[in-house]
Amino acid sequence: MHPDQLPDIIIDDTTLRDGEQTAGVVFSLEEKKTIARMLDDIGVQELECGIPAMGNDEQKSVKALVDMGLRARLMTWNRALVEDIQASLKCGVQAVDISLSVSDLHIRHKLRKDRDWVREQLKRALGFAKQHDLYVSVGGEDASRADLDFLVELMELARSLGADRFRFCDTLGLLDPFVTYEKIRYLNRRVDLDIEIHTHNDLGMATANAIAGVRAGASFINTTVNGLGERAGNAALEEVVMGLKHACGVKCPIDTGRFMEISRYVGEASNRPVPAWKPVVGERVFAHESGLHVDGVLKDPRNYEPFEPNEVGSHRLLVLGKHTGRHGLAARVQGLGLDPATVCMSTLLRRVRAISQRRKRPIEDAELEGLYRSLAQGPELPGATMPENSAVV
């Protein structure tokens, strides 16, 4: 599908709900408010903010978020039970997700019911929600393993009762992007109801599956900051937005320049530090060591960077190590305010590589400056000059 034909994309971030369901993660109320404010400030359109049926503490937390007066629409997660929806109404929200299992496996072995029970439960819960003028997303738990024709039936029933959209959940993260595309396209072509794509990362394909869902016609995407979530997590907000922008040519109205800031805050609040190699927001995503790559980046960053670091609030780092070349070394020396012309750079490069290999880590600025000054003060070592035709750059 051409980017111009894709639907307008709404990000429904569920860091405060599914993200907090990560085993062992608990956000304080102040942390929730800070995360909500950050996401609202950068333009995230919806926030799934909690599960009021959990009890009074959760209801107070959701109510406090409602009282912040954010621009984003706040949505709560509910089982397809009237009492769950009543708890959400007490919090003052105007939008709910009502979730029920839709795969035969879940219906039989989790609910221990049948399809008729699911139909009736949907009618009862959705009918109650619409009687109270709520915006409703019908969440299909385990939709990725459900019979597609049964999903069509449920979606048609939901639409007839006033549902605003259907959430297709790959609850166990078992799909690949190709199957995701086919399933969402099938549903999108048969029912006139907006589709929300909710993906998990058990096989490492949450972001790819979310984008595949959009290409097939889904207009809502569930995300979490840093990909927090049950087990291996959910589709990461930062990956989805940047993937849509740079892989698909689809721009979301999100201020991506604060992604690093938000990622770090959520990492600390969740006690889940962000890995250095984490796509988009890892601190080493824009780190370069290989001589050929550094040379290319210095000539034009587009040679080896998919987008500018400042697009996500990050920065470029030239690492000195075993694979460093002359151009990268000279750039780091100049960055320290030193003159590469006053020392034998070939000798300095040889020493940098040797120390990095011995210590199994990059060379720090203080170490580089010490090596530089030791060479500047002493004679050049015999045999230090590298051949002119060396492939190291």
Side-chain angles (χ1 to χ4, degrees):
M1 184 180 289
H2 190 275
D4 291 341
Q5 298 175 310
L6 293 175
D8 292 335
I9 306 302
I10 303 295
I11 299 294
D12 174 70
D13 189 87
T14 183
T15 301
L16 298 177
R17 197 277 296 177
D18 216 350
E20 197 185 30
Q21 284 181 216
T22 305
V25 170
V26 177
F27 295 130
S28 69
L29 177 55
E30 288 307 310
E31 287 169 339
K32 286 186 176 183
K33 292 170 71 172
T34 298
I35 293 169
R37 177 67 69 188
M38 285 179 162
L39 293 173
D40 188 59
D41 285 346
I42 67 171
V44 173
Q45 301 101 318
E46 285 188 357
L47 303 178
E48 191 172 41
C49 59
I51 310 173
M54 287 177 58
N56 290 334
D57 288 343
E58 185 78 350
Q59 290 171 22
K60 290 178 181 177
S61 175
V62 172
K63 181 66 165 58
L65 295 174
V66 170
D67 290 343
M68 291 176 68
L70 303 176
R71 293 172 298 172
R73 177 163 55 198
L74 298 185
M75 176 175 282
T76 56
W77 187 93
N78 309 264
R79 294 167 297 180
L81 298 173
V82 168
E83 52 265 37
D84 278 26
I85 301 168
Q86 288 174 327
S88 288
L89 287 167
K90 291 179 181 178
C91 300
V93 297
Q94 297 180 340
V96 294
D97 173 74
I98 56 174
S99 178
L100 71 169
S101 296
V102 294
S103 70
D104 289 326
L105 189 152
H106 269 213
I107 293 170
R108 294 169 185 165
H109 300 287
K110 175 188 170 183
L111 300 177
R112 299 189 177 180
K113 303 289 185 180
D114 56 24
R115 289 184 177 185
D116 285 337
W117 183 92
V118 172
R119 295 184 187 97
E120 291 306 312
Q121 200 66 17
L122 175 59
K123 291 177 183 178
R124 185 177 300 108
L126 179 54
F128 180 82
K130 297 310 291 185
Q131 286 172 9
H132 290 79
D133 298 320
L134 291 172
Y135 177 99
V136 179
S137 172
V138 173
E141 185 180 15
D142 207 29
S144 55
R145 293 192 291 181
D147 175 71
L148 284 176
D149 290 328
F150 182 54
L151 289 185
V152 168
E153 180 187 344
L154 290 178
M155 289 176 67
E156 288 178 338
L157 175 60
R159 184 178 64 83
S160 71
L161 294 171
D164 296 278
R165 68 185 196 242
F166 176 78
R167 175 183 286 182
F168 180 97
C169 301
D170 183 18
T171 302
L172 295 185
L174 291 172
L175 296 184
D176 67 44
F178 305 99
V179 176
T180 300
Y181 179 89
E182 292 300 328
K183 287 178 179 286
I184 298 300
R185 184 174 67 168
Y186 183 91
L187 298 174
N188 188 52
R189 287 180 172 181
R190 281 159 179 78
V191 187
D192 183 20
L193 182 64
D194 285 340
I195 296 177
E196 175 181 4
I197 183 77
H198 180 96
T199 59
H200 279 265
N201 206 39
D202 297 75
L203 296 179
M205 291 187 276
T207 295
N209 287 338
I211 290 175
V214 168
R215 283 195 171 275
S219 51
F220 293 79
I221 308 179
N222 283 151
T223 64
T224 60
V225 177
N226 297 335
L228 280 177
E230 298 272 7
R231 303 179 313 280
N234 293 39
L237 168 68
E238 60 280 359
E239 294 176 21
V240 167
V241 172
M242 297 305 285
L244 286 171
K245 179 179 180 180
H246 290 282
C248 305
V250 177
K251 293 183 179 180
C252 295
I254 305 294
D255 176 11
T256 63
R258 294 185 63 188
F259 275 168
M260 288 288 289
E261 174 193 356
I262 295 172
S263 171
R264 293 299 175 271
Y265 183 83
V266 172
E268 292 175 5
S270 62
N271 198 27
R272 297 293 187 277
V274 182
W277 57 90
K278 169 75 171 64
V280 180
V281 290
E283 65 178 13
R284 293 295 173 122
V285 171
F286 296 96
H288 307 278
E289 178 182 337
S290 168
L292 288 170
H293 281 224
V294 170
D295 178 58
V297 167
L298 290 173
K299 290 173 178 174
D300 188 333
R302 293 175 299 177
N303 283 323
Y304 288 106
E305 291 177 352
F307 50 86
E308 286 285 338
N310 60 16
E311 278 194 46
V312 294
S314 187
H315 63 277
R316 184 174 300 115
L317 176 63
L318 302 182
V319 175
L320 297 184
K322 174 183 176 180
H323 303 284
T324 293
R326 290 192 302 266
H327 294 165
L329 178 59
R332 281 290 293 273
V333 167
Q334 290 174 325
L336 293 175
L338 305 173
D339 184 2
T342 63
V343 300
C344 176
M345 291 298 288
S346 294
T347 301
L348 182 59
L349 178 60
R350 181 173 59 83
R351 293 188 178 183
V352 163
R353 287 177 166 181
I355 292 173
S356 175
Q357 290 187 72
R358 186 167 65 249
R359 297 178 180 175
K360 296 179 71 65
R361 61 168 176 80
I363 301 300
E364 303 295 337
D365 284 348
E367 295 171 312
L368 176 60
E369 186 170 357
L371 290 171
Y372 173 92
R373 298 199 183 283
S374 69
L375 283 177
Q377 295 170 2
E380 179 183 328
L381 296 178
T385 302
M386 298 182 68
E388 289 298 321
N389 62 352
S390 170
V392 177
V393 293

